[in-house]
Amino acid sequence: MKFSLTNIKFVVAFVLFFMVYRVSNADIKKVKYTKGMFFFSFILFISLLISIPGFLSLDFDGFRIWKQYLWFPFFIHIFSQVEKVAGITLSFLVRTFVNGMVWYTIITFFLFFIPLPIWNDYHVYWGRLTVGYPTIDTVLLCFAILLLFFFPTIQYSFIKKTIMGFILLVGTLMQASGTSIVLLAIIIISMFCYLWKIGLTSKVVNSISYNMNIKSILLLALFVSCTGGGIYSFLSSKEPELARNMILQLENRFYILLGMEEESTLTDVNTLEDRKEGFEHAKNMYLEDILSQFLGIGYANVSMQDFSRKRIVLEDQYHLNLITIGYLGTFFYFLVFVELFIIAFKFWGGEYLYVYIPSILFIISTSFSSFCIATYGIIGIASLIYVSMCFERKRLFKSIK
């Protein structure tokens, strides 16, 4: 049996959880879950019970996906207790995440051109300068950009913040992902709203951090406009085929998002259509009656390894929810975001508004392109932001009282 290096992260998470749990004497009331989260969790539990006979008769591929949801309570508990146990603040964790994504981008550039002997596949994704899974990596990179500019307690000089933002932006574009176009659009709209001081009080607008962020955003825009063409020219001279293919990939994703895929040079590539076809195939095979459509069929037939026509192979959270937990579970899934929006808008007037609203939009958007809440990295950063929201909400209530 081969051991994948990626499994190390699961071991580390388990060890951290039990170390924190042992020392913290778990105060489960420290972070409150919304009603939608409880309903969604209950539906997931029912889907697990429904799936058990299938797991036993087929394999546990579907369980490998289902168990990913368990990381949410794990991470939420760790992040909610880490300051009490180890004196590590959430701000430090956010800053570490942003720094890590910057270094990941830099290292990726070198690893792309220098293959390591431990890799089984090299340059798996055509036209993408990446050593990971582009759809997931681009979400984490965009989260890093968002937190770098808008998380209030991340204090860098505006020069350093601009350079880091530029590296993260280049890293995002290197993935040549349609998801990145959507998430970057959310960031750009957020930046425009931030510049126009929408939802911010005069106290925030007159603060040093706000003025620093404005300088960084404007300098980044200038930096990109001045150097973007030069970077592409450099890449074209060194790797002309890669540069051309990356542009074709980005053009293709852009046209697909606009519903104009026939205008794309890559007329035979349509990732959104592929996802719809995968869902239609699963729907025709398994959602034969109203009950299965309403409640779903569980996870027994889901697999990311067996690509036979008898298995359910889906690449996005939305369609996976419709098949596994049905319309009811999907309703509770989106109810969670409605509740989070209600909480986030309570920060109207403060800087955290520009952290929480875009973050929720990120997860909703990526629900249609990836397993956003069944992916280790995204679960980790989403849990961290949710814990931050809960803590800041408590501080907000105390200040009002």
Side-chain angles (χ1 to χ4, degrees), residues 110-261:
F110 290 100
L111 290 183
F112 184 86
F113 297 104
I114 307 173
L116 297 180
I118 63 173
W119 291 352
N120 294 325
D121 298 307
Y122 187 55
H123 293 182
V124 180
Y125 299 98
W126 175 83
R128 296 176 169 188
L129 204 161
T130 179
V131 294
Y133 180 39
T135 306
I136 300 303
D137 288 354
T138 197
V139 177
L140 296 175
L141 286 163
C142 286
F143 262 118
I145 296 173
L146 179 74
L147 295 173
L148 173 66
F149 285 101
F150 295 126
F151 201 83
T153 54
I154 290 187
Q155 301 296 331
Y156 294 118
S157 67
F158 77 93
I159 297 293
K160 184 175 181 180
K161 186 172 285 192
T162 301
I163 294 173
M164 292 175 69
F166 182 74
I167 293 172
L168 291 169
L169 178 60
V170 171
T172 303
L173 295 176
M174 287 191 317
Q175 310 294 320
S177 169
T179 302
S180 68
I181 296 175
V182 175
L183 301 188
L184 286 174
I186 294 173
I187 291 175
I188 292 171
I189 293 171
S190 298
M191 286 182 171
F192 273 110
C193 292
Y194 194 76
L195 290 169
W196 283 97
K197 308 169 187 176
I198 296 175
L200 297 175
T201 62
S202 58
K203 180 181 179 181
V204 172
V205 171
N206 294 324
S207 67
I208 296 175
S209 63
Y210 177 81
N211 293 320
M212 195 79 72
N213 283 341
I214 294 298
K215 291 180 182 179
S216 300
I217 292 171
L218 295 177
L219 186 59
L220 177 62
L222 179 64
F223 200 36
V224 170
S225 61
C226 293
T227 63
I231 291 176
Y232 177 72
S233 298
F234 173 78
L235 188 60
S236 297
S237 64
K238 298 296 182 180
E239 294 284 339
E241 189 65 21
L242 172 63
R244 177 179 177 275
N245 292 339
M246 287 179 68
I247 292 298
L248 290 177
Q249 287 279 13
L250 284 171
E251 176 208 60
N252 171 259
R253 300 305 190 272
F254 185 74
Y255 277 124
I256 289 173
L257 290 171
L258 293 177
M260 301 166 58
E261 56 273 8

Side-chain angles (χ1 to χ4, degrees), residues 18 22 42 47 63 89 116 123-124 135 142 154 242 254 268 275 282 291 343 362 384 389 398:
F18 287 110
R22 181 183 177 187
F42 178 74
S47 72
F63 179 74
T89 64
L116 297 180
H123 293 182
V124 180
T135 306
C142 286
I154 290 187
L242 172 63
F254 185 74
D268 59 336
R275 287 172 173 80
L291 184 62
I343 296 174
F362 274 17
L384 180 58
M389 180 187 287
K398 286 182 180 179

Side-chain angles (χ1 to χ4, degrees), residues 222-383:
L222 179 64
F223 200 36
V224 170
S225 61
C226 293
T227 63
I231 291 176
Y232 177 72
S233 298
F234 173 78
L235 188 60
S236 297
S237 64
K238 298 296 182 180
E239 294 284 339
E241 189 65 21
L242 172 63
R244 177 179 177 275
N245 292 339
M246 287 179 68
I247 292 298
L248 290 177
Q249 287 279 13
L250 284 171
E251 176 208 60
N252 171 259
R253 300 305 190 272
F254 185 74
Y255 277 124
I256 289 173
L257 290 171
L258 293 177
M260 301 166 58
E261 56 273 8
E262 67 279 355
E263 300 292 330
S264 173
T265 306
L266 306 176
T267 54
D268 59 336
V269 178
N270 191 329
T271 53
L272 286 181
E273 196 61 35
D274 292 341
R275 287 172 173 80
K276 290 179 182 178
E277 289 179 3
F279 170 70
E280 288 300 325
H281 168 69
K283 180 180 178 181
N284 293 334
M285 285 192 65
Y286 296 105
L287 302 186
E288 300 175 342
D289 52 62
I290 295 177
L291 184 62
S292 61
Q293 293 176 20
F294 185 67
L295 297 177
I297 62 167
Y299 286 79
N301 290 289
V302 176
S303 177
M304 289 293 102
Q305 302 178 30
D306 184 354
F307 293 96
S308 65
R309 299 293 289 177
K310 294 183 179 180
R311 303 303 293 269
I312 299 172
V313 182
L314 297 171
E315 294 186 43
D316 64 283
Q317 192 73 48
Y318 173 65
H319 286 129
L320 179 69
N321 286 349
L322 289 176
I323 294 294
T324 56
I325 55 179
Y327 292 113
L328 181 62
T330 304
F331 169 77
F332 287 132
Y333 176 74
F334 286 109
L335 177 62
V336 172
F337 297 117
V338 172
E339 292 176 320
L340 291 178
F341 270 124
I342 293 172
I343 296 174
F345 273 107
K346 292 180 180 179
F347 292 90
W348 188 269
E351 289 180 283
Y352 279 103
L353 180 73
Y354 282 87
V355 175
Y356 303 141
I357 295 294
S359 294
I360 298 169
L361 292 174
F362 274 17
I363 300 298
I364 293 175
S365 300
T366 54
S367 297
F368 299 94
S369 63
S370 68
F371 290 138
C372 57
I373 66 162
T375 306
Y376 186 91
I378 299 178
I379 291 172
I381 191 61
S383 299

